[in-house]
Amino acid sequence: MTSRRLKEFLNNNLEDLKDKGLYNVINPVEGPNGPVIQIEGKQLINLSSNNYLGLATDERLINACNEATEKYGVGAGAVRTINGTLDIHIKLEEKLAEFKHTEAAIAYQSGFNCNMAAISAVMDKHDAILSDELNHASIIDGCRLSKAKIIPFKHSDMEDLRAKAGEAQKSGLYNKIMVITDGVFSMDGDIAKLPEIVEIAEEFDLITYVDDAHGSGVLGNGMGTVKHFGLSEKVDFQIGTLSKAIGAVGGYVAGKKDLIDWLKVRSRPFLFSTAITPGTAAACMKAIEILSTSTELQQQMWENSRYLKQGLKELGFNIGESETPITPCIIGDENQTQIFSERLIEEGVYAKSIVFPTVPRGTGRVRNMPTAAHTKEMLDEALRIYKKVGKEMKLI
Ligand SMILES: *Cc1c(COP(=O)(O)O)cnc(C)c1O
């Protein structure tokens, strides 16, 4: 390493994190990220993936991916605007638009990238963005990138949103004003109050932007939070990820044709970063096809979610107010939370602890993600272990 300053910076900061117990050690998964995973040779019931429907390891997606890879190769070869747009990308975008009931859709390399792409393509320093204080990190970064004035509002507090929208409009300082929210909040599993948000948006002429990473494939028969509330006509930007319920990787924006046309000429990750692989595009199309023709996987996911929630609640754990499969088990104290998670892993359940700054201080939790791929036996075994560790630590 040549720079002494860099060396010092890294040493000091890494030491500091390690001293405070905040240095995250990554344990590689030795095989597929299914309902049971292997880590360090040990089989663990997996309650930490975002593989809601089990599609990440679904044979049908694997076959579609393999066939497309045979036909097109492993890479798209270029960015979308040069010659990296393969016909399979266009087909995927058509399918996404159809699935979302919008005029058009545009695919990106990840959900994170959607927020890097879409916000700054439309908003600039003469604009303002009203942003829920619990919005995902990629929304926060996307807002910053746009240079618009960021006005946070209290989490799902519609009075606060209305007041701040009114102030922003009245100030006359801004050309455009956007309201931006997660569809489903990933740490608590609560759903954004979209009907009220849309009403406030209509009152103050706000652009509406919903990042539905955790709602797509989960709510509204899989079509997402916006569909769940019947608001497909009223939301300007619907962001989805192809990396969670859809099981592969990538993201998309669905909306009016004009908006998508604009993103195709002005959003930087579309212009300057290579397109998703053909295998990924094919796997995602297969996933959408499965979701469009059957609700079996969703039903299984919801059934498993209810079962796990009920079980944890009966054991006496605080599982918060989730309205989706996301099931936090709130412990409170950060150290206790870490120990709880470690003990669960030792006993055979992989459920990762989540503490400050990801969630507020004193609300440390272990977050559970039941999926369609879990069997009742797996969930019973997980509950048995929860009971054992909970009693041992005097949490229940
Ligand atoms: C997970 C998540 C993302 C990132 O999606 P990727 O496809 O994994 O990049 C973006 N926004 C929200 C709200 C998310 O929960």
Side-chain angles (χ1 to χ4, degrees):
M1 202 175 283
T2 49
S3 162
R4 187 173 50 79
R5 276 173 195 260
L6 175 61
K7 201 171 170 193
E8 261 174 33
F9 167 83
L10 294 175
N11 278 351
N12 294 345
N13 285 294
L14 284 170
E15 282 310 313
D16 187 50
L17 284 182
K18 285 175 186 163
D19 286 347
K20 290 183 180 142
L22 294 175
Y23 182 78
N24 186 29
V25 179
I26 293 169
N27 309 112
V29 174
E30 297 146 359
N33 199 340
V36 174
I37 49 176
Q38 183 177 310
I39 292 178
E40 291 179 357
K42 207 173 153 200
Q43 303 289 311
L44 302 166
I45 296 168
N46 175 17
L47 288 173
S48 284
S49 81
N50 290 317
N51 184 15
Y52 283 97
L53 301 172
L55 288 173
T57 51
D58 190 288
E59 259 334 290
R60 295 166 290 184
L61 272 70
I62 295 171
N63 290 337
C65 178
N66 284 342
E67 278 168 28
T69 305
E70 288 291 340
K71 179 171 173 192
Y72 295 90
V74 293
V79 303
R80 291 286 303 271
T81 47
I82 299 194
N83 66 357
T85 295
L86 308 175
D87 55 4
I88 199 168
H89 292 122
I90 302 294
K91 282 189 203 144
L92 171 63
E93 288 168 339
E94 286 169 0
K95 256 200 182 311
L96 286 167
E98 201 183 308
F99 183 60
K100 285 285 182 177
H101 293 270
T102 57
E103 287 177 9
I106 178 173
Y108 291 96
Q109 304 84 351
S110 73
F112 199 106
N113 247 1
C114 286
N115 289 326
M116 296 303 108
I119 304 170
S120 57
V122 170
M123 304 301 279
D124 63 31
K125 64 178 188 225
H126 305 293
D127 301 323
I129 304 175
L130 297 152
S131 175
D132 188 291
E133 65 182 351
L134 291 191
N135 276 345
H136 189 260
S138 60
I139 299 181
I140 296 170
D141 288 5
C143 290
R144 286 180 183 155
L145 196 58
S146 76
K147 300 197 173 72
K149 168 79 179 169
I150 300 165
I151 307 173
F153 62 91
K154 289 196 195 110
H155 175 52
S156 279
D157 183 332
M158 295 300 111
E159 266 176 47
D160 196 41
L161 173 61
R162 184 183 294 276
K164 287 181 172 152
E167 270 168 42
Q169 194 199 45
K170 233 189 289 150
S171 73
L173 290 171
Y174 310 112
N175 283 345
K176 305 189 278 313
I177 308 174
M178 173 184 274
V179 57
I180 187 161
T181 183
D182 277 30
V184 172
F185 290 87
S186 55
M187 295 303 142
D188 292 288
D190 54 325
I191 303 174
K193 294 176 178 159
L194 292 186
E196 284 116 305
I197 291 176
V198 163
E199 197 186 295
I200 294 169
E202 283 178 346
E203 188 178 336
F204 298 101
D205 191 28
L206 311 177
I207 300 165
T208 45
Y209 188 115
V210 178
D211 178 351
D212 209 19
H214 282 280
S216 301
V218 177
L219 291 169
N221 271 338
M223 288 173 257
T225 311
V226 172
K227 185 70 175 43
H228 169 76
F229 288 115
L231 295 168
S232 301
E233 281 300 307
K234 303 212 165 172
V235 170
D236 297 309
F237 289 76
Q238 286 193 60
I239 313 307
T241 176
L242 300 168
S243 335
K244 288 174 180 153
I246 302 302
V249 68
Y252 58 92
V253 181
K256 290 265 190 274
K257 185 171 177 303
D258 278 356
L259 172 66
I260 303 305
D261 285 347
W262 178 248
L263 294 179
K264 285 186 173 172
V265 293
R266 273 295 176 275
S267 61
R268 294 167 72 83
F270 192 82
L271 274 71
F272 299 108
S273 181
T274 300
I276 55 171
T277 69
T280 299
C284 293
M285 276 198 319
K286 180 56 79 177
I288 305 290
E289 189 188 307
I290 293 169
L291 291 191
S292 308
T293 50
S294 158
T295 56
E296 194 186 318
L297 290 175
Q298 281 112 299
Q299 278 169 10
Q300 191 60 50
M301 170 193 67
W302 282 106
E303 199 177 307
N304 287 346
S305 303
R306 276 191 290 273
Y307 190 76
L308 185 73
K309 279 185 179 165
Q310 181 73 17
L312 287 172
K313 213 170 172 171
E314 277 170 10
L315 287 176
F317 286 105
N318 172 8
I319 59 164
E321 306 291 333
S322 173
E323 302 165 83
T324 61
I326 296 170
T327 306
C329 189
I330 301 167
I331 307 299
D333 179 76
E334 282 72 22
N335 282 326
Q336 287 264 66
T337 307
Q338 309 275 23
I339 296 167
F340 186 58
S341 170
E342 282 160 25
R343 283 289 300 127
L344 288 175
I345 292 173
E346 281 166 12
E347 293 291 330
V349 172
Y350 194 90
K352 193 88 174 161
S353 62
I354 298 175
V355 296
F356 180 81
T358 309
V359 294
R361 260 184 229 284
T363 70
R365 66 203 56 198
V366 166
R367 192 178 62 151
N368 299 282
M369 281 291 214
T371 72
H374 288 96
T375 62
K376 190 165 166 291
E377 290 69 35
M378 291 172 195
L379 298 176
D380 282 335
E381 174 66 0
L383 287 167
R384 186 189 67 75
I385 292 169
Y386 257 97
K387 184 175 177 183
K388 177 174 176 197
V389 178
K391 290 237 185 278
E392 168 193 302
M393 289 182 64
K394 302 197 167 35
L395 297 167
I396 52 171

